[in-house]
Amino acid sequence: MNSDLYKSVPLNLFEYSEILNFLVSIKPDLILNCSGLTNVELCEVETEKALYLHKIFPERIAKFTKENSIRNIHISTDHLWDGSHSFYKEEDKTSPLNVYGKTKAEGELAVLEANPNSIVVRTNFFDHGSEWRKSFSDWAIFMLKNKSIFSGFDDVYYTPISVPYLLQFMYAVLEKEFTGIIHIAGSERISKYEFIFKLAKILNLDSSNLKKESYLEKSKTVQRPKDMSLNTTKLSSLISKEIPDAESSIRSIF
């Protein structure tokens, strides 16, 4: 993507025509749509923007890929259920608690209706962030290196996977000519606190200032699922690969 267009996208989220013209000009074989408003609190306020980024825009991209015989991968989320149990499967009925989850769930349906040959990837990935937006792991490393006192939730669970593994597995899924919904996540269900603790241990950083915090005891204006862990049996069966635990994923980015 040319730099001028890249810079314009975050500022002009509703100018789909500019992006479409760019796609027509380069004639891609594959489109990987990662658009999203991942600030859950902001989604409750910017509902129109959340709906556009999570449903309307992905639906248009899916329609474009269908009309032009282009492979389409849509990145979804693990934020689709109420968190009442663990290791959600692809066929489990969604039950989102907030605007972010609801619009992402609607987006999945819209994408698959517009282009049934799409791949919808449910995931929770991590890696180094960018200059303009630091990642969760960047923040945790910064806090650890600066010996700051900070906390991680020990009662919110997920199955994180690193970007290198995510890309490797997406490519393997593409090779299998798979279509539909698939979970690409880690094999280990851990809390945010446990993730930061593992990160500190692997990087040999002092974690004595890392404290446990309960999500249940913290006042929140937006409901969130307490368990977002994903079942990856379908993935491992499809691509015949071992699914990494959290430590393996962390090591893959350092």
Side-chain angles (χ1 to χ4, degrees):
M1 179 177 288
N2 69 63
S3 59
D4 289 338
L5 178 59
Y6 176 81
K7 292 174 182 176
S8 75
V9 170
L11 301 177
N12 301 300
L13 295 171
F14 292 85
E15 294 189 10
Y16 167 73
S17 59
E18 184 181 7
I19 299 173
L20 181 61
N21 290 336
F22 175 77
L23 293 174
V24 170
S25 70
I26 64 172
K27 300 177 181 177
D29 297 317
L30 167 70
I31 292 178
L32 172 60
N33 179 24
C34 306
S35 61
L37 185 62
T38 56
N39 185 316
V40 176
E41 285 76 20
L42 188 58
C43 284
E44 299 291 320
V45 179
E46 299 282 355
T47 55
E48 183 181 5
K49 186 179 291 185
L51 184 64
Y52 178 80
L53 285 171
H54 301 156
K55 181 182 178 182
I56 299 172
F57 178 72
E59 181 179 28
R60 290 176 177 174
I61 291 295
K63 183 179 179 182
F64 174 80
T65 58
K66 174 67 174 178
E67 293 172 347
N68 293 275
S69 300
I70 298 170
R71 300 296 301 275
N72 182 46
I73 299 180
H74 173 68
I75 300 297
S76 187
T77 183
D78 58 358
H79 212 94
L80 301 171
W81 298 276
D82 59 12
S84 58
H85 66 84
S86 306
F87 291 110
Y88 286 91
K89 297 180 180 179
E90 285 84 353
E91 60 268 23
D92 288 339
K93 185 178 180 180
T94 59
S95 54
L97 296 176
N98 49 51
V99 170
Y100 174 74
K102 290 174 183 176
T103 52
K104 290 294 283 187
E106 290 174 6
E108 290 188 352
L109 296 175
V111 164
L112 291 173
E113 184 174 346
N115 184 356
N117 293 322
S118 297
I119 301 173
V120 172
V121 175
R122 291 174 177 163
T123 187
N124 192 319
F125 59 86
F126 67 93
D127 205 332
H128 304 291
S130 61
E131 290 184 7
W132 58 275
R133 183 177 182 182
K134 299 302 181 183
S135 68
F136 173 72
S137 51
D138 288 337
W139 169 79
I141 292 170
F142 174 83
M143 299 296 281
L144 290 165
K145 285 184 174 179
N146 284 274
K147 301 186 183 300
S148 303
I149 298 176
F150 70 114
S151 303
F153 291 132
D154 67 342
D155 54 359
V156 174
Y157 298 93
Y158 68 137
T159 43
I161 190 169
S162 67
V163 168
Y165 275 116
L166 174 65
L167 293 176
Q168 175 188 334
F169 293 163
M170 281 197 295
Y171 184 77
V173 170
L174 276 168
E175 285 189 316
K176 296 294 184 180
E177 299 294 326
F178 175 86
T179 61
I181 297 173
I182 192 159
H183 294 172
I184 302 184
S187 62
E188 185 178 3
R189 173 184 175 270
I190 63 172
S191 69
K192 298 285 186 175
Y193 171 84
E194 291 171 322
F195 178 86
I196 299 172
F197 187 81
K198 286 178 182 287
L199 190 64
K201 185 177 181 180
I202 291 169
L203 297 179
N204 196 30
L205 295 172
D206 181 14
S207 62
S208 59
N209 286 332
L210 171 63
K211 309 301 179 184
K212 293 182 179 180
E213 184 176 20
S214 171
Y215 174 87
L216 295 174
E217 296 175 2
K218 191 175 180 67
S219 176
K220 287 283 184 178
T221 57
V222 181
Q223 276 193 307
R224 297 167 183 255
K226 311 305 186 300
D227 197 320
M228 299 172 285
S229 56
L230 298 176
N231 183 299
T232 55
T233 302
K234 186 175 182 178
L235 173 67
S236 59
S237 176
L238 176 68
I239 66 176
S240 300
K241 290 181 180 291
E242 183 178 351
I243 308 303
D245 58 14
E247 180 175 341
S248 298
S249 266
I250 292 171
R251 292 188 182 281
S252 74
I253 67 171
F254 293 102

